[in-house]
Amino acid sequence: MQSIPGIHIYAGRGLRDWEPSPGVLPAGRHAVTVHLGDWLHARCDSRYPPGHTFSRHQTGVAVMLEGYLTGIKGLAHLNGSGIVDLLRLYLDEGLETLSRLRGSYCGLIVDPRTGSAHVFNDRRASRPLFVREGPDGRLLIGPELAQLAKAPPRLTGIDPVAVCEFVLFASCYNDRTLFEGVRKLRPASVLTLTADGRCLDRRYWQLQIDPDRPPGRTDDWVDQALEHMDGACRAARVAAAHPVLLLSGGGDSRAILASLRRTDWTVKAVTYGTAEGDDSTIARELASICRLPFSQFDIPLDLLQDSFRDGALRSDGQAETIDSPTLGDLYARLATSHDGYLQGDRAFCSPMPASNDEAVAVAGPIGFDRARRFADMLVPAIRSLAESSISQTLEEMRAAGRRLAPIDHRDKIYFEQRIANRQNGFAAANMRQLEQIRPWLDEDFVDFQFSLPATLRVKRRIVRLMLERAAPDLASVPYAEKDSIPQSQTYRRLIAAQPAMAEFVRRQFGEEFDARLSLMFRLGELDRLVESLASATAYPAPGHLWWGRLPAGWRITAKRYAADLLHPVRIVLRLMQVNIFLRSIEAR
């Protein structure tokens, strides 16, 4: 399996005779290296050429960038890839330059004048960077969690809170990872390293929302939204020469399609899914209206165990991918004739929250009060630890939005948590083959979207108005009502109907269940839930609770779990993904 492009950094005393080797790079990838004294070595592995990714000044200051810049605020045009502009501006302005950058990137600035190095990423952390600090003062930084975890000495301690977060939210919150000794760099962060072992992490930008912004006129907002979308699509052309559009039957990718037509950017379109739902059918109709070459990738629903394993390994422990089987094969096929993909990101989530407390759950993050079945399966010590930590995290999210209207609070959490963690983790898996291009997340476009009145963000009304204004033929096509990606009930039916798959699931929670995970759960409770999925029998009541032994105990259980937002099938699938990932590291 191909590695994720990125920057690899090795810092700490005792590295004088050690030189990081790029090994055998995948076809089309290039590597450049830089050093700072005898304590820091760095390598950039990128699909972009060295002239795009590296620049050095006569003072010795050097900049390394993996990814692409779409612009630098205050500059009318970039000089080539922008790497020379970035170096020049850093020499003039220092780290304040970082807030002016636009694009999808992570980078390193090496400054021998101060004996320091600065690792940074973009506003949304679209390219992963993980940090492992060792007890000897050494530091490892890289784009893949698995690589850092298995570096000598191999990490063994997993973070039970992070495991619970993964099950609840399909990713980990903030800077957590599945391993206690590794953290991820949060969005818009700069990590400053020095020869004496200091490591200072700070945010150079954070999302700001003005609660007192004027409402404005709807027509003006729509005009500006169209301008921002077209500008984002034009700027993104630097990312790939032959991209493909991932087209669905919804609104966000449809708005990108309309903008591509307005800006004369002709690309091929592809959709994927199963026979269920109308998503793929509508995507084909949209492509036909725009006369785009179109292809459909049918997700097969047999041999799920193979695609589950592939999805778990591709995920690198970042986000749930096991629920989108065989997409690794899809991106591998696309990579034979494309170098990037355009995708729509949900401009805003829905529905409208009734309060600031509800805004957090509506945006995606949930606590144990919305996942009681999962909580009932944890051993008491783990449940207490995780519940306390996650409750504190959720309370911090709530507190950060107290001055905001519930809808502003909802979208702030969605952008800062769901996109930065879950969506970005999913996109990182695909970066193994293709560059990501996400116009909805253009920095200036995001700032604009958060200035919109609430009435234009409810159920993504702004997207529909943009299409009605500038692409009435696309707006007239009905929006998809049912996703073509397999849902929980689909897996509940399929797993029990495929004996090999059912046995695979049983093994994952039996002889192949990771010992560290097994310490977190009441195994009898977990086993009963797994068996109900493998055999398509009724979901079990918690046997260790007194009402589970009553003749009508199911009524109490049903009432207790009625408010759950976490489907029982999701519990099993997400735990299985974590288990496959952890076991794969131990096996290497």
Side-chain angles (χ1 to χ4, degrees), residues 104-237:
S104 172
Y105 54 84
C106 60
L108 171 69
I109 299 172
V110 172
D111 194 338
R113 301 172 305 173
T114 59
S116 59
H118 311 285
V119 187
F120 60 92
N121 58 4
D122 61 47
R123 282 190 185 186
R124 63 182 190 271
S126 66
R127 309 178 98 82
L129 276 177
F130 296 98
V131 182
R132 175 179 172 181
E133 296 182 62
D136 57 358
R138 296 193 184 191
L139 193 84
L140 300 180
I141 300 176
E144 293 188 71
L145 177 62
Q147 292 295 325
L148 294 192
K150 71 177 185 178
R154 188 185 299 260
L155 292 178
T156 58
I158 64 172
D159 183 347
V161 176
V163 173
C164 291
E165 288 181 350
F166 192 96
V167 175
L168 292 171
F169 185 41
S171 67
C172 300
Y173 294 127
N174 299 323
D175 64 348
R176 285 188 185 274
T177 74
L178 294 174
F179 289 94
E180 292 177 337
V182 184
R183 60 190 175 93
K184 60 186 172 187
L185 201 62
R186 295 179 298 168
S189 289
V190 56
L191 187 67
T192 297
L193 314 175
T194 57
D196 59 6
R198 286 179 295 166
C199 180
L200 176 63
D201 183 2
R202 71 176 180 88
R203 305 286 294 278
Y204 65 81
W205 174 89
Q206 286 187 282
L207 181 66
Q208 300 295 327
I209 303 175
D210 179 7
D212 302 315
R213 59 192 182 280
R217 296 178 63 251
T218 296
D219 286 348
D220 293 338
W221 288 121
V222 174
D223 288 340
Q224 292 179 61
L226 290 168
E227 290 176 7
H228 275 288
M229 174 60 82
D230 291 352
C233 285
R234 290 191 187 97
R237 294 191 185 204

Side-chain angles (χ1 to χ4, degrees), residues 3 13 39 238 337-338 357 446 453 456 489 505 560:
S3 58
R13 293 298 181 185
W39 66 274
V238 302
S337 53
H338 301 281
D357 286 344
V446 167
L456 295 180
Q489 293 296 351
V505 174
R560 179 175 174 81

Side-chain angles (χ1 to χ4, degrees), residues 249-315:
D252 290 343
S253 64
R254 188 182 311 207
I256 294 174
L257 174 62
S259 182
L260 297 180
R261 185 171 62 177
R262 288 193 300 273
T263 57
D264 297 319
W265 192 3
T266 301
V267 302
K268 294 181 178 179
V270 65
T271 192
Y272 54 85
T274 67
E276 297 182 1
D278 55 354
D279 207 39
S280 299
T281 302
I282 292 175
R284 181 181 296 275
E285 183 176 353
L286 294 170
S288 177
I289 291 173
C290 294
R291 299 181 179 179
L292 289 187
F294 179 84
S295 59
Q296 178 172 335
F297 179 84
D298 294 320
I299 294 180
L301 295 177
D302 56 349
L303 298 177
L304 282 176
Q305 59 269 36
D306 294 336
S307 56
F308 278 172
R309 191 181 297 278
D310 175 70
L313 298 182
R314 284 170 52 82
S315 76

Side-chain angles (χ1 to χ4, degrees), residues 50-66:
H52 179 112
T53 59
F54 185 78
S55 183
R56 188 192 299 273
H57 188 259
Q58 60 187 12
T59 60
V61 177
V63 176
M64 182 179 282
L65 195 79
E66 204 302 290

Side-chain angles (χ1 to χ4, degrees), residues 49 105 135 194 240 317 332 396 444 448 494 500 544:
Y105 54 84
T194 57
E396 290 171 355
D444 296 318
F448 166 79
L494 289 173
H544 68 287

